[in-house]
Amino acid sequence: MLLERIYDEDLAQASYLIGCQARGEAIVIDPRRDIRVYSDVAKKHGMTITAVTETHIHADYLSGTRELAAATGATMYVSDEGGPEWTYGEAFDEAVRMRDGDTIRLGNVTITAAHTPGHTPEHLSFLVTDGAQASEPGFMITGDFVFVGDVGRPDLLDEAAGGIDTRFAGAKQLFASLRNRFLTLPDYVQVLPGHGAGSACGKALGAIDSTTVGYERAFAWWGKYLEAGDEQGFIDELLNGQPDAHAYFARMKVQNRIGPAVLGELTDLVEYSADEVRAELEADAVIFIDTRSHSAVHTGTVPGSLNIPGTAKAATYGAWAINPDAEQRPLIALATDRDEAEELRAHLMRVGIDTVTGFIPSLDGLDLIAPRTVSPEELDEFDHALLLDVRSKAEYAAGHLPGAEQLSAGRALWNLDRLPSEGTIVSYCRSGLRNSVVASALRRAGFDVVELEGSYLGWVAAQSAGRAAA
């Protein structure tokens, strides 16, 4: 049996390719939408992808199940658990609908669906048996059910899908899934989760790639509650302190249930000249993406541009700054070369932003403007209608500027009614990176935003310097 983990550092998301080497057939579990990586891995090992599935209707990224099936002819498998409200849409009519105990066979490899609700009602985990070596499962692909040191949060249906107090029923389901399914497995079973540290799908995810049933039983925070049968204690700790859910999660839920659009073969990106970009900007026909660091952007950037720093976290930051439900104008990115532009497009596709059409390798010849800033020392005398903290709720609770209001970076663009229609907004994050992304998005939305120099850390340093001087 072949088992490979394909990990996206941007969204802290793991896919798995599992294959029978005797038959040369493979399945991909929880693919992302830029699918070339799976074909490359299969080709490297001389395998054909014949099946594709996913553990549940994801909220944090756009599923590549339909995209991969269309490209390879693989059979789709999706959950048929969770009731009618969580049934996949018509775009999955050709998919095999799986219930608890159903199997997928690839030569010597057997993959058995286990209904493990809690994170979502329809959630499946997959028990993997390598028939060439064993007669019982040795691996469990847990999706967003069990992570290293944590479990999937049950509150996303409230936070991202419009549910009302579904978190309590979800938490009870998680407790039952752990007790009745996970902890009934032998300690040696290897656990392969769908996310790692940095994902917003849990609050304390470990950075290690995998774990075991026995290790989680002994050392996970929830183990003591399961051992004592303390359901309420488990629920209370689980629901306390969950991180902010990004607003784009709601869009992912809807699109993944209906079925993401299949993009197929992508068109070549256009390399623009400065004159061409300038003409498109003057006609307000495109949106410019400045991919430099926030410190570089503050030396001068294209007016009206969005700051999505680098490609490594482009999906994360892009989903904060662009709402494709409301904005479909083409995106032109600053990229050193075509490869970098292609990488940026791939990352943005993972969150359903499909409108990158071209790139320009330099800002030479373009009109630039420096975003407005205010120093911490000047802030008290600076006229502003709102002091906006775009860090998480936990960061804000740990310490914030006097008078600041909190609205996390991933939710700001979707909560414009919480912002003043007139006057200046002064915004900050911890060091300035997240703030630059959000500030650029709010400026495009018509708000007058001034960024606090150095953000929260700059303000803390200024306060310390002031006290020392006194």
Side-chain angles (χ1 to χ4, degrees):
M1 184 182 82
L2 171 75
L3 193 158
E4 285 216 17
R5 176 180 183 259
I6 297 101
Y7 195 68
D8 172 19
E9 297 282 355
D10 190 341
L11 297 172
Q13 181 264 329
S15 308
Y16 296 91
L17 185 145
I18 301 170
C20 173
Q21 292 158 311
R23 286 280 294 271
E25 295 181 354
I27 183 172
V28 177
I29 300 175
D30 286 337
R32 65 190 193 224
R33 200 151 164 253
D34 52 314
I35 59 171
R36 181 174 176 178
V37 61
Y38 308 113
S39 299
D40 288 347
V41 171
K43 182 178 179 181
K44 173 185 173 182
H45 294 285
M47 291 191 168
T48 300
I49 297 172
T50 60
V52 57
T53 188
E54 55 192 53
T55 52
H56 65 293
I57 300 171
H58 298 283
D60 57 309
Y61 70 98
L62 207 54
S63 164
T65 293
R66 295 190 69 229
E67 195 77 37
L68 189 57
T72 63
T75 300
M76 292 186 291
Y77 296 83
V78 296
S79 176
D80 197 30
E81 296 283 3
E85 293 184 0
W86 296 100
T87 300
Y88 282 80
E90 294 179 359
F92 294 94
D93 279 354
E94 295 182 3
V96 177
R97 309 280 176 143
M98 298 195 77
R99 308 282 295 188
D100 184 74
D102 288 348
T103 60
I104 303 168
R105 297 186 186 276
L106 301 169
N108 293 321
V109 179
T110 302
I111 297 167
T112 303
H115 185 213
T116 50
H119 176 68
T120 61
E122 82 290 351
H123 194 288
L124 298 178
S125 296
F126 294 104
L127 292 163
V128 182
T129 303
D130 179 5
Q133 300 288 333
S135 58
E136 298 294 333
F139 307 86
M140 190 181 205
I141 310 293
T142 53
D144 289 19
F145 169 37
V146 174
F147 301 124
V148 177
D150 203 0
V151 291
R153 59 191 295 182
D155 62 319
L156 281 184
L157 301 185
D158 290 349
E159 294 289 326
I164 299 175
D165 290 338
T166 63
R167 67 191 69 202
F168 301 109
K172 286 178 176 288
Q173 288 178 329
L174 267 176
F175 188 86
S177 292
L178 288 168
R179 179 189 60 208
N180 300 334
R181 300 308 298 265
F182 188 77
L183 293 179
T184 62
L185 297 171
D187 282 352
Y188 61 75
V189 171
Q190 294 187 50
V191 176
L192 305 173
H195 292 287
S199 169
C201 291
K203 64 178 177 179
L205 282 68
I208 300 171
D209 293 353
S210 64
T211 183
T212 65
V213 170
Y215 190 89
E216 295 306 301
R217 185 198 310 273
F219 299 113
W221 67 261
W222 50 262
K224 60 185 178 183
Y225 296 110
L226 270 294
E227 184 177 15
D230 183 2
E231 181 184 69
Q232 192 57 52
F234 169 84
I235 292 171
D236 291 344
E237 184 164 346
L238 174 64
L239 296 181
N240 180 48
Q242 288 289 354
D244 299 358
H246 304 310
Y248 82 90
F249 282 12
R251 176 169 57 86
M252 297 293 94
K253 270 289 183 187
V254 172
Q255 289 183 264
N256 281 328
R257 184 181 177 191
I258 294 171
V262 174
L263 298 176
E265 194 71 26
L266 300 176
T267 58
D268 291 337
L269 294 176
V270 175
E271 181 174 354
Y272 285 88
S273 68
D275 288 341
E276 290 169 331
V277 170
R278 191 184 307 108
E280 294 285 355
L281 290 171
E282 288 174 355
D284 199 24
V286 301
I287 297 173
F288 191 83
I289 305 297
D290 193 330
T291 56
R292 296 174 300 158
S293 68
H294 65 286
S295 56
V297 164
H298 283 128
T299 67
T301 187
V302 172
S305 64
L306 295 174
N307 183 205
I308 301 176
T311 56
K313 299 292 287 184
T316 298
Y317 299 139
W320 298 353
I322 302 167
N323 179 5
D325 286 342
E327 180 57 77
Q328 284 293 315
R329 273 175 288 188
L331 305 175
I332 297 176
L334 176 65
T336 55
D337 54 31
R338 184 173 299 278
D339 288 344
E340 185 179 50
E342 292 283 4
E343 184 180 358
L344 176 75
R345 174 166 67 172
H347 279 250
L348 292 177
M349 283 168 48
R350 296 171 198 174
V351 289
I353 300 170
D354 302 334
T355 50
V356 177
T357 59
F359 70 99
I360 187 170
S362 169
L363 294 177
D364 293 346
L366 297 177
D367 298 327
L368 305 180
I369 188 172
R372 292 173 64 202
T373 62
V374 60
S375 70
E377 294 81 5
E378 298 169 324
L379 181 60
D380 287 344
E381 304 302 321
F382 187 79
D383 184 27
H384 56 279
L386 174 66
L387 182 57
L388 181 64
D389 187 327
V390 301
R391 299 174 302 157
S392 69
K393 290 182 291 187
E395 290 174 291
Y396 178 83
H400 58 269
L401 272 66
E405 296 185 21
Q406 188 271 339
L407 180 57
S408 60
R411 302 179 72 88
L413 193 62
W414 286 261
N415 288 274
L416 300 181
D417 58 340
R418 291 181 52 184
L419 305 179
S421 58
E422 296 181 357
T424 299
I425 299 169
V426 175
S427 61
Y428 70 91
C429 63
R430 179 178 181 273
S431 63
L433 189 155
R434 287 173 287 174
N435 189 40
S436 183
V437 176
V438 176
S440 69
L442 293 181
R443 289 188 190 105
R444 278 207 61 85
F447 292 89
D448 179 26
V449 183
V450 174
E451 296 170 58
L452 180 64
E453 293 175 10
S455 274
Y456 183 71
L457 293 181
W459 179 81
V460 170
Q463 294 294 301
S464 297
R467 286 192 295 269

